[in-house]
């Protein structure tokens, strides 16, 4: 019997879904699923690196969503909690959804589902809190800017709220804790890894051409590596 494996992925939700696809496709016995920023642990476990593939991630997303809209929402929100060990819990939950009636039941599945639901609710509360407290300043080039520091990774969930609130208006929301921003350009929402900590002062923002900074960063991203779409708030509301 092969040793159980630790699966290492890039930390993105699409990376996690790709990992789930690989586990099911190759019938891998899993001992843990870890982000590539974590220390690998498992004395008798072999580590396998999984590279994100959008087509495989989308297949897993669509399959779960077809089974249950409530489940895909809980899975996505719980993932954004960034809780230690959440990936393994989510994998076990997903596995239980596809188990055959005669297959051995996963130990403590009821407790696992409860933990996922609790984490999902915490993320939902944080989403609404950030939507309520985010303050915006307008930049020199008329882009609304807000910097926030949410307890959970909720930026992918909040753009719909602000697109509705600020119709016909470009905006940037920056996560100080995770050092990335969402940018709405009136057509799409871009996720940008960007250091904007120096722009928390209203006077600085009002004198800054934010689009120049954003376009330079986006150009660098498009030039240096292939862009990858992300599965985001389709399950958030």
């Amino acid at each position: 019997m092969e040793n159980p494996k630790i699966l290492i992925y890039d930390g993105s939700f699409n990376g996690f879904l790709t990992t789930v696809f690989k586990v099911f496709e190759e019938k891998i016995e899993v001992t843990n699923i870890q982000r590539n920023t974590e220390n690998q642990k498992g004395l008798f476990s072999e580590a396998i690196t999984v590279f994100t593939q959008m087509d495989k991630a989308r297949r897993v997303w669509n399959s779960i969503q077809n089974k249950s809209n409530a489940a895909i929402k809980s899975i996505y929100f719980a993932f954004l909690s960034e809780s230690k060990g959440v990936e393994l819990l989510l994998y076990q939950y997903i596995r239980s959804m596809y188990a055959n009636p005669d297959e051995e039941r996963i130990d403590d599945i009821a407790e696992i589902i409860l933990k996922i639901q609790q984490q999902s609710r915490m993320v939902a509360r944080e989403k609404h809190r950030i939507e309520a407290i985010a303050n915006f300043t307008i930049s020199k080039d008329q882009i609304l800017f807000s910097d926030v520091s949410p307890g959970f990774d909720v930026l992918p969930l909040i753009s719909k709220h602000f697109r509705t609130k600020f119709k016909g208006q470009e905006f940037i929301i920056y996560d100080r804790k995770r050092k990335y921003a969402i940018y709405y350009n009136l057509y799409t929402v871009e996720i940008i890894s960007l250091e904007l900590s120096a722009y928390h002062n209203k006077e600085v923002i009002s004198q800054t051409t934010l689009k120049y900074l954003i376009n330079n960063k986006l150009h660098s991203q498009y030039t240096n590596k292939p862009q990858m779409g992300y599965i985001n708030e389709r399950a958030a509301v």
Side-chain angles (χ1 to χ4, degrees), residues 5 9 26 36 51 77 92 152 154 169 174 197 207 214:
K5 307 294 193 296
Y9 76 109
E26 300 181 18
N36 55 16
F51 298 98
F77 276 49
Q92 291 169 328
F152 305 115
V154 298
Q169 174 67 58
Y174 176 66
S197 299
Q207 297 171 20
I214 294 296

Side-chain angles (χ1 to χ4, degrees), residues 5-234:
K5 307 294 193 296
I6 296 174
L7 282 296
I8 310 296
Y9 76 109
D10 64 6
S12 69
F13 187 58
N14 288 322
F16 169 71
L17 293 179
T18 304
T19 302
V20 172
F21 184 96
K22 183 177 180 69
V23 169
F24 276 87
E25 183 181 49
E26 300 181 18
K27 297 181 173 58
I28 298 171
E29 185 180 349
V30 179
T31 187
N32 205 358
I33 299 174
Q34 296 179 351
R35 297 174 183 236
N36 55 16
T37 54
E38 296 181 35
N39 292 325
Q40 298 175 18
K41 295 180 180 179
L43 185 60
F44 301 105
S45 300
E46 175 189 344
I48 300 173
T49 298
V50 179
F51 298 98
T52 299
Q53 294 178 260
M54 283 303 299
D55 58 331
K56 293 180 178 179
R58 194 171 290 109
R59 284 174 64 181
V60 175
W61 171 278
N62 290 338
S63 178
I64 298 171
Q65 191 174 45
N66 288 337
K67 276 186 170 290
S68 170
N69 278 318
I72 196 65
K73 178 178 178 178
S74 292
I75 289 166
Y76 186 41
F77 276 49
F79 177 84
L80 294 176
S81 73
E82 304 171 309
S83 301
K84 187 172 180 59
V86 69
E87 294 93 344
L88 186 60
L89 293 179
L90 292 174
Y91 161 68
Q92 291 169 328
Y93 176 36
I94 294 168
R95 183 180 146 205
S96 75
M97 294 174 65
Y98 292 89
N100 295 321
D102 57 347
E103 193 172 325
E104 186 177 349
R105 187 174 174 83
I106 296 172
D107 291 339
D108 303 322
I109 189 62
E111 184 179 343
I112 288 169
I113 293 171
L114 178 60
K115 287 180 180 178
I116 289 169
Q117 291 172 340
Q118 289 172 337
Q119 291 168 349
S120 175
R121 286 193 291 268
M122 289 190 299
V123 170
R125 286 194 294 270
E126 184 69 351
K127 169 187 181 291
H128 293 305
R129 186 183 76 87
I130 294 298
E131 289 172 347
I133 68 169
N135 291 316
F136 288 81
T137 303
I138 195 156
S139 68
K140 186 176 181 179
D141 51 346
Q142 304 300 298
I143 297 176
L144 291 174
F145 176 85
S146 179
D147 64 332
V148 295
S149 187
F152 305 115
D153 186 15
V154 298
L155 252 61
L157 303 177
I158 65 177
S159 73
K160 183 177 180 179
H161 171 83
F162 291 109
R163 294 198 311 269
T164 301
K165 182 176 181 179
F166 303 126
K167 288 186 181 296
Q169 174 67 58
E170 293 180 80
F171 62 78
I172 297 169
I173 304 175
Y174 176 66
D175 186 330
R176 292 192 300 269
K177 183 177 178 181
R178 295 164 186 85
K179 308 297 184 188
Y180 82 94
I182 54 171
Y183 168 46
Y184 176 56
N185 62 10
L186 301 183
Y187 302 101
T188 60
V189 177
E190 302 273 5
I191 288 186
I192 310 166
S193 296
L194 190 62
E195 174 56 72
L196 288 174
S197 299
Y199 296 89
H200 64 279
N201 185 289
K202 289 185 177 182
E203 288 187 11
V204 173
I205 289 295
S206 64
Q207 297 171 20
T208 300
T209 305
L210 287 176
K211 191 171 288 189
Y212 176 78
L213 297 174
I214 294 296
N215 287 343
N216 277 356
K217 183 64 177 180
L218 285 174
H219 175 74
S220 174
Q221 288 184 181
Y222 294 144
T223 301
N224 295 329
K225 62 181 180 180
Q227 286 304 290
M228 190 169 63
Y230 67 100
I231 294 169
N232 62 350
E233 63 194 2
R234 285 180 291 173

